[in-house]
Amino acid sequence: MTPTTPNRRTFLRSSAVAGGALLVPAGLAATASAAVPQFAHGVASGDPLPDRVLLWTRVTPAPEATPGSGLGPTVEVRWEVARDPAFADVVAAGSVTTGPQRDHTVKVDAAGLAPGTAYHYRFLLDGVASASGRTRTAPATGADVAGLKLGLVSCSNWQAGYFSSYRHLAARPDLDGVLHVGDYLYEYPVGGYGARGVTIRPHVPAHEMLTLADYRQRHALYKTDPDLSALHAAVPWFITWDDHEYANDTWSDGAENHQPNEGPWAARKAAARQAYFEWMPVRQGPNGEIYRRFRWGRLAELSLLDLRSYRSKQTTPSQGDPNDPARTITGDPQMAWLKSGLSTDAQWKLVGNSVMVTPISLSNIESRFLEALGELLGLPVGSVAANADAWDGYTADRQELLGHLKDNRIANTVFLTGDIHTSWGADVPLERSSYWWNGNSAAVEFVTPSVTSDNIDDILGVAPRTVSPVAEAALAARNWHLKYVELDSHGYAVVDVNPSRVQVDWFFLADRLSPTSGVRHAKSLATLSGTQKIR
């Protein structure tokens, strides 16, 4: 199905590793090539705590047990965690059963581990071992930690290119984990959303995801990608969702890309959630919530937000007021949870945030860029008001959050964001209109580009870096708090945290359409401890 209304999705058509052959850390080649048929979707780990970590895989115990089929036997799978890659020193092990009721996925919370320790893990079915993965536990809560380094990724659209960003991150020996802030997969049918309108790799199933079987099959497809498989096997992931894990521009009771003839929204939402929790190495809260928090010693605490499940419907120029105090992007319980977490004694308060918190004015942008930026940011064509799909469309919640930081003198809050397919670095001002003269900033925000999804040069149908610099200069001139914007490139970022600063390095792909794309280091920005500003 092709959506019927314009939106940013339907309109959108140093240590860098130069690409050639598939590059993965030693011992992970089998995982990257998915060489074990019983474990064709690889292995993954996530949500590390000081004494445990989630381990994930999917088994295929019989030919008919294909993803989403609801067929195949219930089987017993063994898991092992060891200190060494040969599994001579196994420190934790056990068995679990899985079957068609959970699409033959396996998710184990491996407990009793030592804090701040690297481990190897694997699964066994009928004596056949999966490829092994590497993971690590978080440091003890009170530990003095020298650093934390995370890959930051978002918007990985299978149909729009290849996941070379994942390959380059998997080749790095220095990462503690990966933070994926949403749009891990996309719901569209074949041809529904590609690279400048061209489908590079067709989706399975060929139609738009609507049912539980559809969502299971699409998750399975993405996990056959060798670069994604390699990165899952290399390090633990911290993951939250945005909208395309359900449907474009999701809100609490619906989505732009859900039509009445597609059945009840509640049924589609339940199917998407069930498949997600089956196929992803993430924990669910006691009431099914996905917002959750992780501590990295005294150095950092990472809060992962869910800004789709609880939000009010997005405003339009003719309907709804973004300043209405009744409107919410977080919901009251999550806002209270977030504010309490930001009062932690950890030095850095990192927030995994799916959509931009920074206010952006587009009022001096010429029309062609305004139209393209409007679509990319979720604005109605021609509007110069607010970014209705991000925190700009929910200003009461943003003021409550930033006011909490100001009133409680909370320093060192860093928002790590995706969604808009482009690269941004900004101070987060208490008031955008007064920042130009008082410079008051409550936090900083760093936005990673898309892994593959279309951005501004793709929207305009021009060569990269030929016209977008004009729009970038106009944005910077109107928004003094904006310290960096790049609207064309695809890639990823690396977040490097130590006691004195958080630095973000952007890496841009040479060609998202090439499965062997190289990458280059493009930009570095940092915020120093205690400043709430980008240097």
Side-chain angles (χ1 to χ4, degrees):
M1 183 203 79
T2 301
T4 57
T5 57
N7 60 78
R8 72 182 185 280
R9 307 297 194 232
T10 56
F11 190 89
L12 292 176
R13 303 252 189 169
S14 150
S15 52
V17 182
L22 175 66
L23 301 176
V24 298
L28 295 182
T31 297
S33 60
V36 185
Q38 290 92 331
F39 299 93
H41 300 95
V43 299
S45 69
D47 284 12
L49 302 177
D51 67 337
R52 65 188 62 211
V53 64
L54 279 180
L55 308 178
W56 179 93
T57 193
R58 183 186 185 272
V59 301
T60 306
E64 70 272 15
T66 56
S69 67
L71 302 175
T74 296
V75 296
E76 186 173 285
V77 181
R78 179 172 172 81
W79 58 273
E80 296 178 339
V81 178
R83 290 191 177 93
D84 66 306
F87 289 85
D89 185 11
V90 173
V91 297
S95 296
V96 297
T97 59
T98 187
Q101 75 283 357
R102 57 170 302 109
D103 209 21
H104 289 95
T105 59
V106 177
K107 194 153 67 172
V108 175
D109 206 350
L113 306 178
T117 303
Y119 291 100
H120 301 262
Y121 65 95
R122 67 181 181 182
F123 299 86
L124 299 102
L125 174 65
D126 297 331
V128 177
S130 69
S132 62
R134 294 189 308 193
T135 192
R136 65 178 300 117
T137 51
T141 300
D144 290 321
V145 179
L148 167 65
K149 191 171 287 189
L150 299 172
L152 178 62
V153 287
S154 179
C155 303
S156 40
N157 179 12
W158 177 278
Q159 295 197 140
Y162 294 92
F163 295 162
S164 294
S165 292
Y166 294 155
R167 173 166 47 91
H168 291 292
L169 285 168
R172 295 182 65 117
D174 59 343
L175 294 183
D176 295 297
V178 165
L179 172 58
H180 199 301
V181 288
D183 295 342
Y184 179 95
L185 47 68
Y186 281 72
E187 82 274 22
Y188 293 114
V190 171
Y193 182 39
R196 300 192 181 202
V198 176
T199 298
I200 307 304
R201 301 188 288 177
H203 268 151
V204 175
H207 56 270
E208 183 173 309
M209 297 189 295
L210 293 173
T211 68
L212 178 58
D214 295 340
Y215 282 96
R216 284 170 164 176
Q217 290 175 41
R218 192 66 57 83
H219 275 279
L221 173 69
Y222 275 61
K223 282 195 168 62
T224 62
D225 183 89
D227 299 331
L228 175 58
S229 183
L231 187 54
H232 268 308
V235 290
W237 284 43
F238 305 88
I239 316 170
T240 191
W241 54 42
D242 193 21
D243 53 344
H244 289 289
E245 290 86 351
Y246 294 89
N248 181 57
D249 283 355
T250 301
W251 54 289
S252 58
D253 293 320
E256 176 277 330
N257 194 19
H258 182 78
Q259 313 307 322
N261 64 353
E262 294 175 324
W265 169 250
R268 183 176 184 178
K269 182 177 180 179
R273 287 178 63 91
Q274 180 175 335
Y276 189 91
F277 284 117
E278 289 170 347
W279 280 85
M280 302 294 277
V282 300
R283 288 187 177 86
Q284 264 182 290
N287 298 309
E289 63 269 14
I290 195 175
Y291 60 85
R292 59 209 194 279
R293 186 171 289 126
F294 302 94
R295 183 76 177 233
W296 208 258
R298 296 180 180 177
L299 179 65
E301 190 156 88
L302 170 64
S303 299
L304 293 183
L305 303 185
D306 175 5
L307 301 181
R308 293 293 173 181
S309 299
Y310 312 101
R311 67 167 62 202
S312 308
K313 188 175 182 179
Q314 297 89 334
T315 62
T316 67
S318 61
Q319 185 176 17
D321 177 4
N323 302 313
D324 182 351
R327 292 177 47 75
T328 182
I329 192 171
T330 62
D332 291 341
Q334 184 177 195
M335 177 62 79
W337 169 89
L338 175 58
K339 290 193 298 184
S340 68
L342 294 175
S343 300
T344 179
D345 62 349
Q347 180 167 1
W348 292 99
K349 292 80 175 176
L350 309 179
V351 182
N353 174 53
S354 58
V355 297
M356 278 184 70
V357 68
T358 302
I360 297 295
S361 170
L362 306 179
S363 61
N364 68 330
I365 310 298
E366 69 170 274
S367 59
R368 60 173 173 164
F369 296 117
L370 179 61
E371 215 170 280
L373 281 166
E375 294 297 340
L376 183 130
L377 293 170
L379 290 163
V381 173
S383 171
V384 295
N387 180 354
D389 195 48
W391 289 76
D392 261 341
Y394 306 85
T395 59
D397 269 6
R398 183 170 61 199
Q399 286 307 110
E400 180 178 350
L401 178 58
L402 299 184
H404 175 76
L405 297 179
K406 176 180 178 290
D407 295 344
N408 293 276
R409 299 183 179 180
I410 296 172
N412 298 341
T413 299
V414 178
F415 293 95
L416 302 171
T417 304
D419 178 66
I420 60 171
H421 307 179
T422 47
S423 301
W424 306 66
D427 296 345
V428 182
L430 290 167
E431 293 287 348
R432 190 196 67 81
S433 59
S434 60
Y435 177 90
W436 70 273
W437 62 269
N438 63 28
N440 290 338
S441 178
V444 300
E445 183 169 33
F446 300 103
V447 182
T448 189
S450 66
V451 171
T452 56
S453 297
D454 277 359
N455 46 33
I456 292 297
D457 59 322
D458 304 310
I459 295 171
L460 297 175
V462 298
R465 312 311 298 149
T466 55
V467 299
S468 290
V470 176
E472 293 161 6
L475 282 165
R478 178 62 177 168
N479 300 275
W480 285 38
H481 55 289
L482 185 60
K483 307 304 177 184
Y484 175 57
V485 57
E486 205 274 11
L487 299 175
D488 288 345
S489 298
H490 308 277
Y492 60 91
V494 173
V495 183
D496 186 356
V497 185
N498 69 30
S500 65
R501 58 98 179 103
V502 172
Q503 177 172 313
V504 172
D505 299 285
W506 281 266
F507 295 86
F508 294 157
L509 295 177
D511 183 5
R512 64 171 165 157
L513 306 185
S514 167
T516 58
S517 175
V519 71
R520 65 179 177 87
H521 175 260
K523 184 72 173 181
S524 297
L525 293 176
T527 180
L528 301 183
S529 181
T531 66
Q532 288 68 254
K533 291 189 176 183
I534 290 176
R535 183 172 62 178

